[in-house]
Amino acid sequence: MGELRLMKGNEVIAEAAIRCGCDAYFGYPITPQSEVMETLMARMPWEETGMVVLQAESEVAAINMMYGGASAGRKVMTSSSSPGISLMSEGISYMAGAELPGVVVNVQRGGPGLGTIQPSQADYFQATKGGGHGDYNLIVLAPSSVQEMNDFVDLAFELSFKYSNPAMILTDGVIGQMMEKVELSDFKPRWTDEQVEQFNGSWAATGKKPNRERAIKTSLELVAEKQEKINEGFQAKYKKMQEEEVRYETIKCEDADYIIVAFGVSSRISQKAVDVLREQGHKAGLLRPITLYPFPSEIINQMADHVKGFLSVEMNAGQMVEDIRLAVNGKTKVDHFGRMGGVIATPGEVVDAMLTKIIGG
Amino acid sequence: MTEEIIIAGFGGQGVLSMGKILAYSGIMQDQEVSWFPSYGPEMRGGTANVTVILSDERISSPVLNQFDTAIVLNQQSLDKFESKVKPGGMLLYDPNGIVNPPSRTDLKIFKIDATQLAAEKGQPKIFNMIVLGAFLKARPLVKMGNVKRGLEKSLPERHHKLIPINLEGLEIGEKEIVEVK
């Protein structure tokens, strides 16, 4: 059993990065995630593990520092909140195009534009459908507790190196700002130069070797046919993710007639709503996607054969609901309930939405 | 057992830290806890509130629209949260600055004159501990020994010299709480 503490989600992201052997963090402050860098600066991991913590001059600089560190085969991380992620999107697309690993944390706030500083989930499309340009996908993990803020940092690194693709932890201002009991991971040492060579030497820019071409980490390829081949490689990789990496949790779904689909803090709020609906005699259940990309389409499609309806609960105008509709493919009723702009839905509102839109609708 | 609590008052009254100490006390006795602040462009003198949940089971929503207990420390918070206490629940308030006292008849209502008591003691900063002591007298959710351990955990070491005065605050609260109805 690891160390038990009461911590904010944002603080845990920082601690987990240090403990999983992260080599460098580059970031720029923005509410509601500034505690990530504050915690790192206060912890001074450069004295303990040699991890670099650097406040960049902007989000654009931070993501390009990520590109550099990742090109050298190192574990690099950044974090920001919605407007900052928009600034990073060009760099994220470049990393995906150059097949570089790395972890980007988005503690979402209300938008669009500068929006508010309160919690939101309105960046679902941005995280799962691109954000930057081109046919690429990120591995997207959605923690719903402070404990998962700890666990998913290491998992995101693991997946991102496994697929040579950037991974995003898509969370929100509630999970970032709330404190819960957390069992911190044990310390893993950072990779030595020899280990970087051993694990990532085949692709990383670690110096020209006699047995391979020099590594040039770029997303540029001027010959269209060659670029198409590269894209085919990406698509094969994404297909493998869809086959092997889908993660989700089901709560009280076994006998459920009505399923709420929700991620992050909305799944916690919805879990309470499920309990209330059950007390009222409605067989409700909760499906919580843990990976938003790859999306758990198959289980939703299977459930659609026997349930009477799905309600997507998201703090946005209705984004994930589109993926649910695609998965359900017309087999049963699908609707959406959400609050926008930084307003947090309450369990009571979710109960009402289920009653009016799905059960009675 | 699950206890869902809202603590609300002015920024600077120690609302958030009171919630944190309560949450840490819960951890000390192996409970699940959550602490979620209303955060926003808020500052000293503005309103601040925090939802604290202590439970023997996995906690579902950290965000609530109804509470077992409301601890309200100014009129705005009383106006906002009195209606959100579950029937049969508890409301604890500090009468300082309260013009319209709580009016519901289906709640257990207590008051603690913490502003006054802290001022008499010449220690305005133990205000929140007086309130916490009063709350725990009425709702003994966590043992006092665990509150002390919670205090040790949540205060940085350099502030540990302040623990005795904080414990004194808790005792004052325990002693001076008044049941209104």
Side-chain angles (χ1 to χ4, degrees):
Chain A
M1 181 120 169
E3 206 178 326
L4 271 186
R5 289 212 209 148
L6 180 71
M7 289 174 81
K8 282 190 173 194
N10 287 336
E11 295 166 347
V12 167
I13 289 278
E15 189 64 38
I18 298 169
R19 286 174 183 244
C20 81
C22 181
D23 292 297
Y25 170 94
F26 310 106
Y28 189 80
I30 180 170
T31 306
Q33 65 79 54
S34 295
E35 293 89 354
V36 179
M37 190 158 49
E38 279 170 21
T39 305
L40 283 167
M41 289 295 185
R43 281 279 274 105
M44 299 193 286
W46 52 89
E47 291 189 348
E48 191 178 327
T49 71
M51 175 183 173
V52 171
V53 182
L54 197 148
Q55 178 172 340
E57 66 269 37
S58 71
E59 288 86 347
V60 177
I63 196 71
N64 284 291
M65 290 172 185
M66 290 265 290
Y67 190 108
S71 296
R74 293 290 179 173
K75 285 169 125 174
V76 290
M77 186 169 104
T78 188
S79 65
S80 189
S81 179
S82 310
I85 299 292
S86 292
L87 284 167
M88 290 181 183
S89 291
E90 177 197 51
I92 295 172
S93 169
Y94 277 49
M95 286 180 75
E99 295 198 82
L100 293 173
V103 175
V104 178
V105 182
N106 181 1
V107 186
Q108 297 166 88
R109 62 189 235 181
L114 276 176
T116 56
I117 61 173
Q118 282 83 0
S120 167
Q121 297 179 318
D123 303 348
Y124 177 90
F125 280 151
Q126 186 194 45
T128 61
K129 314 288 176 199
H133 58 278
D135 272 328
Y136 77 92
N137 283 107
L138 300 177
I139 299 154
V140 184
L141 299 170
S144 72
S145 64
V146 173
Q147 184 64 51
E148 287 186 341
M149 293 287 255
N150 175 77
D151 303 347
F152 288 4
V153 171
D154 198 28
L155 176 63
F157 273 118
E158 184 194 316
L159 294 173
S160 123
F161 274 86
K162 179 175 173 187
Y163 290 96
S164 292
N165 199 69
M168 178 173 279
I169 296 176
L170 186 69
T171 181
D172 57 73
V174 179
I175 306 289
Q177 291 294 327
M178 74 186 280
M179 287 201 277
E180 286 186 306
K181 188 160 77 172
V182 58
E183 184 183 344
L184 296 170
S185 303
D186 293 332
F187 281 91
K188 280 203 278 195
R190 286 174 52 228
W191 289 332
T192 61
D193 289 351
E194 291 71 29
Q195 284 172 316
V196 170
E197 191 59 53
Q198 184 193 335
F199 303 145
N200 308 324
S202 63
W203 58 266
T206 52
K208 166 83 178 83
K209 294 175 208 62
N211 58 350
R212 68 149 165 83
E213 285 299 300
R214 62 197 174 129
I216 301 174
K217 305 317 293 179
T218 178
S219 58
L220 178 69
E221 173 50 67
L222 291 174
V223 180
E225 288 74 15
K226 284 190 185 169
Q227 184 61 41
E228 186 178 47
K229 280 271 171 274
I230 292 169
N231 268 275
E232 284 166 3
F234 293 168
Q235 293 306 316
K237 187 163 82 172
Y238 303 147
K239 187 162 178 285
K240 188 162 181 260
M241 287 178 198
Q242 283 165 7
E243 285 162 4
E244 294 179 13
E245 307 301 345
V246 171
R247 288 165 168 79
Y248 60 86
E249 182 187 15
T250 54
I251 295 172
K252 298 183 180 166
C253 283
E254 299 74 27
D255 64 340
D257 292 328
Y258 307 100
I259 304 267
I260 297 176
V261 187
F263 65 97
V265 70
S266 291
S267 72
R268 299 280 298 267
I269 294 163
S270 299
Q271 197 186 330
K272 181 112 189 162
V274 164
D275 291 341
V276 175
L277 285 161
R278 290 227 165 219
E279 281 165 23
Q280 295 177 3
H282 303 290
K283 285 183 181 168
L286 172 69
L287 174 74
R288 174 172 81 91
I290 292 171
T291 50
L292 298 178
Y293 189 90
F295 190 70
S297 303
E298 207 176 304
I299 180 73
I300 292 176
N301 186 275
Q302 287 167 13
M303 284 177 164
D305 288 332
H306 59 267
V307 307
K308 295 175 184 163
F310 290 93
L311 182 70
S312 184
V313 177
E314 315 164 59
M315 294 196 297
N316 58 41
Q319 301 190 11
M320 181 174 69
V321 67
E322 294 191 3
D323 286 332
I324 299 168
R325 286 208 177 97
L326 284 171
V328 168
N329 202 13
K331 287 185 197 171
T332 187
K333 196 162 28 174
V334 180
D335 212 329
H336 163 267
F337 172 72
R339 299 295 305 262
M340 294 176 285
V343 178
I344 309 166
T346 64
E349 289 171 347
V350 175
V351 170
D352 289 346
M354 181 57 112
L355 291 173
T356 54
K357 292 187 169 198
I358 302 290
I359 298 178
Chain B
M1 195 282 308
T2 297
E3 180 83 6
E4 298 171 331
I5 305 155
I6 179 86
I7 310 172
F10 289 120
Q13 277 181 318
V15 165
L16 301 187
S17 60
M18 188 193 332
K20 189 175 169 187
I21 291 160
L22 185 57
Y24 247 124
S25 313
I27 290 185
M28 293 302 143
Q29 48 191 51
D30 283 334
Q31 286 180 302
E32 297 298 321
V33 301
S34 83
W35 175 99
F36 176 60
S38 67
Y39 74 90
E42 285 155 348
M43 62 193 87
R44 190 174 293 254
T47 58
N49 68 68
V50 61
T51 304
V52 177
I53 307 173
L54 305 181
S55 180
D56 298 325
E57 289 151 42
R58 174 173 157 176
I59 292 168
S60 56
S61 179
V63 179
L64 301 167
N65 48 332
Q66 276 204 310
F67 305 91
D68 298 307
T69 296
I71 301 173
V72 289
L73 304 172
N74 62 20
Q75 185 72 54
Q76 292 99 310
S77 303
L78 180 59
D79 295 345
K80 187 169 176 189
F81 292 110
E82 182 181 359
S83 63
K84 294 185 178 167
V85 183
K86 295 176 195 168
M90 169 181 164
L91 192 148
L92 170 66
Y93 73 105
D94 180 339
N96 182 50
I98 299 289
V99 186
N100 304 309
S103 58
R104 274 177 67 178
T105 53
D106 58 342
L107 302 179
K108 279 176 237 126
I109 298 178
F110 296 87
K111 64 179 178 180
I112 178 72
D113 209 346
T115 310
Q116 178 74 22
L117 291 161
E120 280 168 13
K121 186 87 188 144
Q123 293 281 0
K125 281 191 170 173
I126 63 167
F127 166 81
N128 62 348
M129 289 295 101
I130 296 177
V131 176
L132 183 59
F135 168 64
L136 290 173
K137 172 75 178 179
R139 283 296 261 181
L141 295 173
V142 288
K143 296 198 183 82
M144 275 300 165
N146 287 325
V147 179
K148 181 167 184 280
R149 289 167 66 203
L151 264 170
E152 284 164 1
K153 272 280 197 180
S154 66
L155 284 176
E157 203 124 313
R158 65 181 190 281
H159 290 148
H160 276 196
K161 59 179 187 296
L162 299 172
I163 288 177
I165 183 72
N166 277 287
L167 293 176
E168 215 177 308
L170 288 169
E171 283 167 22
I172 295 172
E174 280 183 289
K175 217 179 310 164
E176 301 291 340
I177 183 171
V178 177
E179 184 161 4
V180 179
K181 60 162 286 303

